[in-house]
Coordinates of all heavy atoms in Angstrom, one line a residue:
L1 N 257.4 110.2 120.0 CA 257.6 111.2 118.9 C 256.3 111.7 118.4 O 256.1 112.9 118.2 CB 258.4 110.5 117.7 CG 258.7 111.4 116.6 CD1 259.6 112.6 116.9 CD2 259.4 110.6 115.5
M2 N 255.3 110.8 118.2 CA 254.0 111.3 117.7 C 253.3 112.2 118.7 O 252.7 113.1 118.4 CB 253.1 110.0 117.4 CG 253.5 109.3 116.1 SD 253.6 110.4 114.6 CE 251.9 110.9 114.5
E3 N 253.5 111.8 120.0 CA 252.8 112.6 121.0 C 253.4 114.1 121.0 O 252.6 115.0 121.1 CB 253.1 112.0 122.4 CG 252.5 112.8 123.6 CD 252.8 112.1 124.9 OE1 252.9 110.9 125.0 OE2 252.8 112.9 125.9
L4 N 254.7 114.2 120.9 CA 255.3 115.5 120.8 C 254.9 116.2 119.6 O 254.6 117.5 119.6 CB 256.8 115.4 120.9 CG 257.4 114.9 122.2 CD1 258.9 114.7 122.1 CD2 257.1 115.9 123.3
F5 N 254.8 115.5 118.5 CA 254.4 116.1 117.2 C 253.0 116.7 117.3 O 252.7 117.8 116.9 CB 254.5 115.1 116.1 CG 254.0 115.6 114.8 CD1 254.6 116.6 114.1 CD2 252.8 115.1 114.2 CE1 254.1 117.1 112.9 CE2 252.3 115.6 113.0 CZ 253.0 116.6 112.4
E6 N 252.1 115.9 117.9 CA 250.7 116.3 118.1 C 250.6 117.5 119.0 O 249.8 118.4 118.7 CB 249.9 115.1 118.7 CG 249.6 114.0 117.6 CD 249.0 112.8 118.2 OE1 248.5 112.9 119.4 OE2 248.9 111.8 117.5
K7 N 251.4 117.6 120.0 CA 251.4 118.7 120.9 C 251.9 120.0 120.1 O 251.4 121.1 120.3 CB 252.3 118.5 122.1 CG 251.7 117.7 123.2 CD 252.7 117.6 124.4 CE 252.1 116.9 125.5 NZ 253.0 117.0 126.7
S8 N 252.9 119.8 119.2 CA 253.4 120.9 118.4 C 252.3 121.4 117.5 O 252.1 122.6 117.4 CB 254.6 120.4 117.6 OG 255.1 121.4 116.8
V9 N 251.6 120.5 116.9 CA 250.5 120.9 116.0 C 249.4 121.7 116.7 O 248.9 122.7 116.2 CB 249.9 119.7 115.2 CG1 248.7 120.0 114.5 CG2 251.0 119.1 114.3
K10 N 249.1 121.2 117.9 CA 248.0 121.8 118.7 C 248.6 123.0 119.5 O 247.8 123.7 120.1 CB 247.5 120.8 119.7 CG 246.8 119.6 119.1 CD 246.3 118.7 120.2 CE 245.7 117.5 119.6 NZ 245.3 116.5 120.6
E11 N 249.9 123.3 119.3 CA 250.5 124.4 120.0 C 250.4 124.4 121.5 O 250.2 125.4 122.2 CB 250.0 125.8 119.4 CG 250.3 125.9 117.9 CD 249.8 127.2 117.4 OE1 249.3 128.1 118.1 OE2 250.0 127.4 116.2
T12 N 250.4 123.1 122.0 CA 250.4 122.9 123.5 C 251.8 122.4 124.0 O 251.9 121.9 125.1 CB 249.3 122.0 123.9 OG1 249.5 120.7 123.2 CG2 247.9 122.5 123.5
I13 N 252.8 122.4 123.1 CA 254.1 121.9 123.4 C 254.9 122.8 124.3 O 254.9 124.0 124.1 CB 254.8 121.5 122.1 CG1 256.0 120.6 122.4 CG2 255.2 122.7 121.4 CD1 256.6 119.9 121.2
K14 N 255.5 122.3 125.3 CA 256.4 123.1 126.2 C 257.8 123.3 125.5 O 258.1 122.5 124.6 CB 256.6 122.4 127.5 CG 255.3 122.2 128.3 CD 255.5 121.4 129.6 CE 254.2 121.2 130.3 NZ 254.4 120.3 131.4
E15 N 258.5 124.2 125.9 CA 259.8 124.5 125.3 C 260.8 123.4 125.3 O 261.4 123.0 124.4 CB 260.4 125.8 125.9 CG 261.5 126.4 125.1 CD 261.0 126.8 123.7 OE1 259.9 127.4 123.5 OE2 261.7 126.6 122.7
D16 N 260.8 122.7 126.5 CA 261.7 121.5 126.6 C 261.3 120.4 125.7 O 262.1 119.6 125.2 CB 261.9 121.1 128.1 CG 260.6 120.6 128.7 OD1 259.5 121.1 128.4 OD2 260.7 119.7 129.6
E17 N 260.0 120.2 125.6 CA 259.4 119.2 124.7 C 259.7 119.5 123.2 O 260.1 118.6 122.4 CB 257.9 119.0 124.9 CG 257.5 118.5 126.2 CD 256.0 118.5 126.4 OE1 255.4 119.4 126.0 OE2 255.5 117.5 127.1
R18 N 259.7 120.8 122.9 CA 260.0 121.2 121.5 C 261.4 120.9 121.2 O 261.8 120.5 120.1 CB 259.6 122.7 121.3 CG 259.9 123.2 119.9 CD 259.3 124.5 119.7 NE 259.6 125.0 118.4 CZ 259.1 124.6 117.2 NH1 258.3 123.6 117.2 NH2 259.5 125.1 116.1
A19 N 262.3 121.2 122.1 CA 263.7 120.9 122.0 C 264.0 119.4 121.7 O 264.8 119.0 120.9 CB 264.5 121.4 123.2
E20 N 263.3 118.6 122.5 CA 263.4 117.2 122.4 C 262.9 116.7 121.0 O 263.5 115.9 120.3 CB 262.6 116.5 123.5 CG 262.6 115.0 123.4 CD 261.8 114.3 124.5 OE1 261.3 115.0 125.4 OE2 261.8 113.1 124.5
L21 N 261.8 117.3 120.6 CA 261.2 117.0 119.3 C 262.2 117.3 118.2 O 262.4 116.5 117.2 CB 259.9 117.7 119.0 CG 259.2 117.5 117.7 CD1 258.9 116.1 117.4 CD2 258.0 118.4 117.6
L22 N 262.8 118.5 118.3 CA 263.8 118.9 117.2 C 265.0 118.0 117.2 O 265.6 117.8 116.1 CB 264.2 120.4 117.5 CG 263.1 121.4 117.2 CD1 263.5 122.8 117.6 CD2 262.6 121.4 115.8
M23 N 265.3 117.4 118.3 CA 266.5 116.5 118.3 C 266.1 115.1 117.7 O 266.9 114.5 117.1 CB 267.0 116.3 119.7 CG 267.7 117.5 120.3 SD 268.5 117.3 121.9 CE 268.0 115.7 122.5
M24 N 264.8 114.8 117.8 CA 264.3 113.5 117.3 C 264.0 113.5 115.8 O 264.1 112.5 115.2 CB 263.1 113.1 118.0 CG 263.3 112.8 119.5 SD 261.7 112.6 120.4 CE 261.6 110.9 120.3
V25 N 263.7 114.6 115.2 CA 263.4 114.7 113.8 C 264.5 114.2 112.9 O 264.2 113.4 112.0 CB 263.0 116.2 113.4 CG1 262.9 116.3 111.9 CG2 261.6 116.5 114.1
P26 N 265.8 114.5 113.1 CA 266.8 114.0 112.2 C 266.9 112.4 112.3 O 267.1 111.8 111.3 CB 268.1 114.6 112.7 CG 267.7 115.8 113.4 CD 266.3 115.5 114.0
V27 N 266.6 111.9 113.5 CA 266.6 110.4 113.6 C 265.5 109.8 112.8 O 265.7 108.8 112.1 CB 266.5 110.0 115.1 CG1 266.4 108.5 115.3 CG2 267.7 110.5 115.9
A28 N 264.3 110.4 112.9 CA 263.1 109.9 112.2 C 263.4 110.0 110.7 O 263.0 109.1 109.9 CB 261.9 110.7 112.6
E29 N 264.0 111.1 110.3 CA 264.3 111.3 108.9 C 265.3 110.2 108.4 O 265.1 109.7 107.3 CB 264.9 112.7 108.6 CG 263.8 113.8 108.7 CD 264.4 115.2 108.6 OE1 265.6 115.3 108.7 OE2 263.6 116.1 108.4
K30 N 266.3 109.9 109.2 CA 267.2 108.9 108.8 C 266.6 107.5 108.7 O 266.8 106.8 107.7 CB 268.3 108.8 109.9 CG 269.4 107.8 109.6 CD 270.5 107.8 110.6 CE 271.6 106.8 110.3 NZ 271.4 105.5 110.9
W31 N 265.7 107.2 109.6 CA 265.0 105.9 109.5 C 264.1 105.9 108.3 O 264.0 104.8 107.6 CB 264.1 105.7 110.8 CG 264.9 105.4 112.0 CD1 266.2 105.0 112.1 CD2 264.4 105.5 113.3 NE1 266.5 104.8 113.4 CE2 265.4 105.2 114.2 CE3 263.2 105.9 113.9 CZ2 265.3 105.1 115.6 CZ3 263.1 105.9 115.3 CH2 264.1 105.5 116.1
T32 N 263.4 107.0 108.0 CA 262.6 107.0 106.8 C 263.4 106.9 105.5 O 263.0 106.1 104.6 CB 261.8 108.4 106.7 OG1 261.0 108.5 107.9 CG2 260.9 108.5 105.5
A33 N 264.6 107.5 105.4 CA 265.4 107.3 104.3 C 265.9 105.9 104.1 O 265.9 105.3 103.0 CB 266.6 108.3 104.4
E34 N 266.3 105.2 105.2 CA 266.7 103.8 105.2 C 265.6 102.9 104.7 O 265.8 102.0 103.9 CB 267.3 103.4 106.6 CG 268.6 104.0 106.9 CD 269.0 103.7 108.3 OE1 268.3 103.0 109.1 OE2 270.2 104.1 108.7
R35 N 264.4 103.2 105.3 CA 263.2 102.4 104.9 C 263.0 102.5 103.4 O 262.7 101.5 102.7 CB 262.0 102.9 105.7 CG 260.7 102.3 105.3 CD 259.6 103.0 106.1 NE 258.4 103.0 105.4 CZ 257.2 103.0 106.0 NH1 257.1 103.1 107.3 NH2 256.1 103.0 105.3
L36 N 263.1 103.7 102.8 CA 262.9 103.9 101.4 C 264.0 103.2 100.6 O 263.7 102.6 99.6 CB 262.9 105.4 101.1 CG 262.7 105.8 99.6 CD1 261.4 105.2 99.1 CD2 262.7 107.3 99.4
E37 N 265.2 103.2 101.1 CA 266.3 102.5 100.4 C 265.9 101.0 100.3 O 266.1 100.4 99.2 CB 267.6 102.7 101.1 CG 268.2 104.0 100.9 CD 269.5 104.3 101.7 OE1 270.0 103.3 102.3 OE2 269.9 105.4 101.9
Y38 N 265.4 100.4 101.4 CA 265.1 99.0 101.4 C 263.9 98.7 100.5 O 263.8 97.7 99.7 CB 264.7 98.5 102.8 CG 266.0 98.5 103.7 CD1 265.9 99.1 104.9 CD2 267.1 97.8 103.3 CE1 267.0 99.1 105.8 CE2 268.2 97.8 104.1 CZ 268.2 98.4 105.4 OH 269.3 98.4 106.2
L39 N 262.9 99.6 100.5 CA 261.7 99.5 99.6 C 262.2 99.5 98.1 O 261.7 98.8 97.3 CB 260.7 100.5 99.9 CG 259.9 100.4 101.2 CD1 259.1 101.6 101.5 CD2 259.0 99.1 101.1
I40 N 263.1 100.4 97.8 CA 263.6 100.5 96.4 C 264.3 99.2 96.1 O 264.2 98.7 94.9 CB 264.5 101.8 96.3 CG1 263.7 103.1 96.4 CG2 265.3 101.7 95.0 CD1 264.6 104.3 96.5
E41 N 265.1 98.7 97.0 CA 265.9 97.5 96.7 C 264.9 96.3 96.4 O 265.1 95.6 95.4 CB 266.8 97.1 97.9 CG 267.7 96.0 97.6 CD 268.7 95.7 98.8 OE1 269.0 96.7 99.5 OE2 269.1 94.6 98.9
I42 N 263.9 96.2 97.2 CA 262.8 95.2 97.0 C 262.1 95.4 95.7 O 261.9 94.4 94.9 CB 261.8 95.1 98.2 CG1 262.5 94.7 99.5 CG2 260.7 94.2 97.8 CD1 261.7 94.9 100.7
S43 N 261.8 96.6 95.4 CA 261.1 96.9 94.1 C 261.9 96.5 92.9 O 261.4 96.0 91.9 CB 260.6 98.4 94.1 OG 261.7 99.2 93.8
Q44 N 263.2 96.7 93.0 CA 264.1 96.4 91.9 C 264.2 94.8 91.8 O 264.2 94.3 90.7 CB 265.5 97.0 92.1 CG 265.5 98.5 91.9 CD 266.8 99.1 92.4 OE1 267.6 98.6 93.1 NE2 267.0 100.4 91.9
L45 N 264.3 94.1 92.9 CA 264.3 92.7 92.9 C 263.0 92.1 92.3 O 263.1 91.1 91.6 CB 264.5 92.1 94.3 CG 265.9 92.4 94.9 CD1 265.9 92.0 96.4 CD2 267.0 91.6 94.2
W46 N 261.9 92.7 92.7 CA 260.6 92.2 92.2 C 260.2 92.8 90.9 O 259.2 92.4 90.3 CB 259.5 92.5 93.3 CG 259.6 91.8 94.6 CD1 260.5 90.8 94.9 CD2 258.8 91.9 95.7 NE1 260.3 90.3 96.2 CE2 259.2 91.0 96.7 CE3 257.7 92.7 95.9 CZ2 258.6 90.9 97.9 CZ3 257.0 92.6 97.2 CH2 257.5 91.7 98.1
K47 N 261.0 93.8 90.4 CA 260.7 94.5 89.1 C 259.3 95.1 89.1 O 258.5 94.9 88.2 CB 260.9 93.5 88.0 CG 262.3 93.1 87.8 CD 262.5 92.2 86.7 CE 264.0 92.0 86.5 NZ 264.6 90.8 86.6
V48 N 259.0 95.8 90.2 CA 257.7 96.5 90.4 C 258.0 97.8 91.0 O 259.1 98.1 91.5 CB 256.7 95.7 91.3 CG1 256.3 94.4 90.6 CG2 257.2 95.5 92.7
S49 N 257.0 98.7 91.1 CA 257.2 100.0 91.7 C 257.3 99.9 93.2 O 256.8 98.9 93.8 CB 256.1 101.0 91.3 OG 254.9 100.6 91.9
V50 N 257.8 101.0 93.8 CA 257.8 101.0 95.3 C 256.4 101.0 95.8 O 256.1 100.4 96.8 CB 258.6 102.3 95.8 CG1 258.4 102.5 97.3 CG2 260.1 102.2 95.4
D51 N 255.5 101.7 95.1 CA 254.1 101.7 95.6 C 253.5 100.3 95.6 O 252.8 99.9 96.5 CB 253.2 102.6 94.6 CG 253.4 104.1 94.9 OD1 253.9 104.4 96.0 OD2 253.1 104.9 94.0
E52 N 253.8 99.5 94.5 CA 253.4 98.1 94.5 C 253.9 97.3 95.6 O 253.2 96.5 96.2 CB 253.7 97.5 93.1 CG 252.9 98.1 92.0 CD 253.3 97.4 90.7 OE1 252.9 96.3 90.4 OE2 254.0 98.1 89.9
V53 N 255.2 97.5 95.9 CA 255.8 96.8 97.1 C 255.1 97.1 98.3 O 254.7 96.2 99.1 CB 257.3 97.1 97.2 CG1 257.9 96.6 98.5 CG2 258.1 96.6 96.0
M54 N 254.8 98.4 98.6 CA 254.1 98.9 99.8 C 252.7 98.3 99.8 O 252.3 97.8 100.9 CB 254.1 100.4 99.8 CG 255.5 101.0 100.1 SD 255.6 102.7 100.1 CE 254.7 103.1 101.6
N55 N 252.0 98.3 98.7 CA 250.7 97.7 98.7 C 250.7 96.2 99.0 O 249.9 95.7 99.8 CB 250.0 97.9 97.3 CG 249.6 99.4 97.2 OD1 249.3 100.1 98.2 ND2 249.5 99.8 95.9
K56 N 251.6 95.5 98.3 CA 251.7 94.0 98.5 C 252.1 93.7 100.0 O 251.6 92.6 100.5 CB 252.7 93.4 97.6 CG 252.3 93.3 96.1 CD 253.3 92.7 95.2 CE 252.8 92.7 93.8 NZ 253.8 92.0 92.9
L57 N 252.9 94.5 100.6 CA 253.3 94.2 102.0 C 252.5 94.9 103.0 O 252.8 94.9 104.2 CB 254.8 94.6 102.1 CG 255.8 93.8 101.3 CD1 257.2 94.3 101.5 CD2 255.7 92.3 101.6
N58 N 251.4 95.7 102.5 CA 250.6 96.4 103.4 C 251.3 97.4 104.3 O 251.1 97.5 105.5 CB 249.7 95.5 104.2 CG 248.5 96.2 104.8 OD1 248.0 97.2 104.2 ND2 248.0 95.8 105.9
I59 N 252.2 98.1 103.6 CA 253.1 99.1 104.3 C 252.5 100.5 104.1 O 252.2 100.9 102.9 CB 254.5 99.1 103.8 CG1 255.1 97.7 104.2 CG2 255.3 100.2 104.4 CD1 256.5 97.5 103.6
Q60 N 252.3 101.3 105.2 CA 251.7 102.6 105.1 C 252.9 103.6 105.0 O 254.0 103.4 105.6 CB 250.9 102.9 106.3 CG 249.7 102.0 106.4 CD 248.7 102.1 105.3 OE1 248.4 103.1 104.8 NE2 248.3 100.9 104.8
P61 N 252.7 104.7 104.3 CA 253.8 105.7 104.3 C 254.0 106.3 105.7 O 253.0 106.3 106.5 CB 253.2 106.8 103.4 CG 252.0 106.3 102.7 CD 251.6 105.1 103.5
P62 N 255.2 106.7 106.0 CA 255.4 107.2 107.4 C 254.8 108.6 107.5 O 254.5 109.2 106.5 CB 257.0 107.3 107.4 CG 257.4 107.5 106.0 CD 256.4 106.7 105.2
P63 N 254.5 109.0 108.8 CA 253.9 110.3 109.0 C 254.9 111.4 108.6 O 256.1 111.2 108.6 CB 253.7 110.3 110.5 CG 254.6 109.3 111.1 CD 254.8 108.3 110.0
V64 N 254.4 112.5 108.2 CA 255.2 113.7 107.8 C 255.2 114.6 109.0 O 254.2 115.0 109.6 CB 254.5 114.4 106.6 CG1 255.3 115.7 106.3 CG2 254.4 113.5 105.4
F65 N 256.4 115.0 109.4 CA 256.6 115.8 110.6 C 257.1 117.2 110.1 O 257.9 117.3 109.3 CB 257.7 115.3 111.5 CG 257.4 113.9 112.1 CD1 257.9 112.8 111.6 CD2 256.5 113.9 113.1 CE1 257.6 111.5 112.1 CE2 256.1 112.6 113.7 CZ 256.7 111.5 113.2
H66 N 256.5 118.2 110.7 CA 256.9 119.6 110.5 C 257.2 120.2 111.8 O 256.3 120.7 112.5 CB 255.8 120.4 109.8 CG 255.4 119.8 108.5 ND1 256.2 120.0 107.3 CD2 254.4 119.1 108.1 CE1 255.6 119.4 106.3 NE2 254.5 118.8 106.8
A67 N 258.5 120.1 112.2 CA 258.8 120.6 113.6 C 259.1 122.1 113.6 O 259.5 122.7 112.6 CB 260.0 119.9 114.1

């Protein structure tokens, strides 16, 4: 996914690769939403912010895709 995204940014992506990337974006968005739901749940259990949970667990924000 990252390779296709980088090609898209550099404008070196082929049409079939772009189609593949566009199909993968909704899946990545779903995973990101699920991840956030879990982080929110943990933050509520620990009574801290999501940012604090991410810092304590050394979790980086996911990359932002613009397909």
